[in-house]
């Protein structure tokens, strides 16, 4: 679906800014670079989480519409390939406390706090709280506080690294070790 022609000067400039949504936006708005707008729309559509752009189908559609491209009803169905991510999250006491309180609130609202098989907090709810995106499937299964500065979280999702990047975007001073298991 990437719809950018990188053989043009505009495409080359957009390609060089691909992982930087602020530069893409600036190229689009200040230089009327439609290739940058296409890259920006595509990065919201597919996600470029490592670089801070999380899937947002609504935002992608708004960009496509504004530049006059009809992508139809753009609902992207990812092939199910769930993995279990086990995250050891360390950081300042106040950040660990905020994360624990956030997850506890999400468990109360959406999850199953009394289920021995997992908390089952929808990934969409957690990602919305962390980075504002609801376009992720999966579940947060377990959370254990190992000490004042470390949480262990287990989650199921297609791309486990996405949750790591979301925590780091919301709390940049964390240290996160991740282990991935196929289901």
């Amino acid at each position: 679906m990437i719809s950018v022609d990188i053989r043009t000067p505009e495409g080359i400039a957009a390609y060089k800014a691909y992982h930087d949504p602020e530069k893409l936006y600036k190229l689009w708005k200040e230089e009327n670079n439609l290739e940058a707008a296409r890259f920006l729309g595509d990065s919201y559509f597919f996600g470029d989480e490592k670089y801070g752009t999380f899937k947002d189908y609504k935002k992608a559609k708004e960009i496509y519409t504004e530049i006059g491209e009809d992508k139809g009803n753009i609902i992207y169905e990812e092939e199910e390939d769930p993995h279990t991510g086990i995250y050891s999250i360390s950081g300042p006491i106040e950040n660990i406390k905020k994360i624990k309180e956030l997850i506890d609130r999400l468990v109360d609202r959406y999850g199953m706090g009394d289920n021995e098989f997992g908390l089952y907090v929808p990934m969409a709810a957690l990602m919305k709280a962390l980075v504002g995106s609801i376009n992720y499937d999966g579940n947060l299964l377990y959370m254990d506080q190992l000490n004042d500065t470390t949480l262990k979280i287990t989650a199921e999702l297609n791309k486990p690294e996405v949750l790591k990047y979301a925590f780091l975007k919301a709390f940049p001073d964390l240290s996160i070790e991740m282990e991935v298991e196929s289901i």
Side-chain angles (χ1 to χ4, degrees), residues 102-157:
L102 167 67
I103 292 172
D104 286 341
R105 281 194 314 272
L106 293 173
V107 168
D108 288 344
R109 187 162 184 189
Y110 303 106
M112 299 178 177
D114 58 353
N115 183 351
E116 68 183 274
F117 299 109
L119 301 172
Y120 287 93
V121 172
M123 195 54 54
L126 180 57
M127 293 296 283
K128 171 79 174 169
L130 292 173
V131 295
S133 176
I134 61 168
N135 301 115
Y136 292 90
D137 295 327
N139 293 292
L140 183 141
L141 297 176
Y142 302 103
M143 174 183 65
D144 297 303
Q145 186 157 6
L146 303 180
N147 58 50
D148 287 345
T149 60
T150 306
L151 286 175
K152 181 179 177 184
I153 292 175
T154 304
E156 298 177 320
L157 59 163

Side-chain angles (χ1 to χ4, degrees), residues 20-137:
D20 189 336
E22 290 175 14
K23 283 184 183 176
L24 289 172
Y25 186 81
K26 187 176 177 180
L27 283 169
W28 171 29
K29 292 299 185 174
E30 293 179 9
E31 298 180 23
N32 197 29
N33 183 330
L34 295 182
E35 302 296 354
R38 287 183 187 102
F39 260 136
L40 188 59
D42 290 349
S43 68
Y44 280 115
F45 186 77
F46 292 107
D48 193 15
E49 297 89 359
K50 183 176 181 178
Y51 297 97
T53 305
F54 292 82
K55 288 184 203 175
D56 189 328
Y57 300 144
K58 183 179 177 190
K59 216 178 257 189
K61 186 171 178 74
E62 288 170 1
I63 292 168
Y64 295 142
T65 301
E66 188 172 334
I67 64 172
E69 293 196 2
D70 182 11
K71 300 284 187 178
N73 189 7
I74 59 168
I75 296 174
Y76 178 62
E77 294 291 331
E78 251 186 288
E79 186 175 321
E80 286 295 316
D81 186 20
H83 293 77
T84 300
I86 302 166
Y87 310 85
S88 179
I89 302 173
S90 300
I93 292 172
E94 59 274 3
N95 285 350
I96 298 301
K97 183 178 177 183
K98 287 177 188 176
I99 293 168
K100 186 175 181 329
E101 289 171 355
L102 167 67
I103 292 172
D104 286 341
R105 281 194 314 272
L106 293 173
V107 168
D108 288 344
R109 187 162 184 189
Y110 303 106
M112 299 178 177
D114 58 353
N115 183 351
E116 68 183 274
F117 299 109
L119 301 172
Y120 287 93
V121 172
M123 195 54 54
L126 180 57
M127 293 296 283
K128 171 79 174 169
L130 292 173
V131 295
S133 176
I134 61 168
N135 301 115
Y136 292 90
D137 295 327

